[in-house]
Amino acid sequence: MMGDSSLAAFDALAARLTAKAKAIATAAAQSRSLSRRTDPRRWRTAALLWPLFTKG
């Protein structure tokens, strides 16, 4: 059985991974939307190119 600190560490890891997955999914959806309109902003927006390295 996991201790309280192990459980807290796992919960923190799960929260970080969930936030990263959400950032990637959001960027992918926005990029798809811009590509349908052939909008060049999808190649100029840092948050779309590097969703895990930008705040947004």
Side-chain angles (χ1 to χ4, degrees):
M1 184 168 180
M2 291 198 287
D4 288 340
S5 64
S6 296
L7 190 56
F10 179 78
D11 288 344
L13 173 64
R16 286 193 312 270
L17 291 174
T18 300
K20 286 182 178 188
K22 182 179 177 184
I24 291 169
T26 300
Q30 189 175 1
S31 182
R32 279 192 308 272
S33 175
L34 292 173
S35 73
R36 280 189 217 111
R37 292 182 276 157
T38 61
D39 192 332
R41 283 183 296 167
R42 68 186 167 137
W43 301 114
R44 296 182 188 143
T45 307
L48 298 180
L49 297 172
W50 303 287
L52 298 181
F53 300 105
T54 57
K55 302 285 181 189

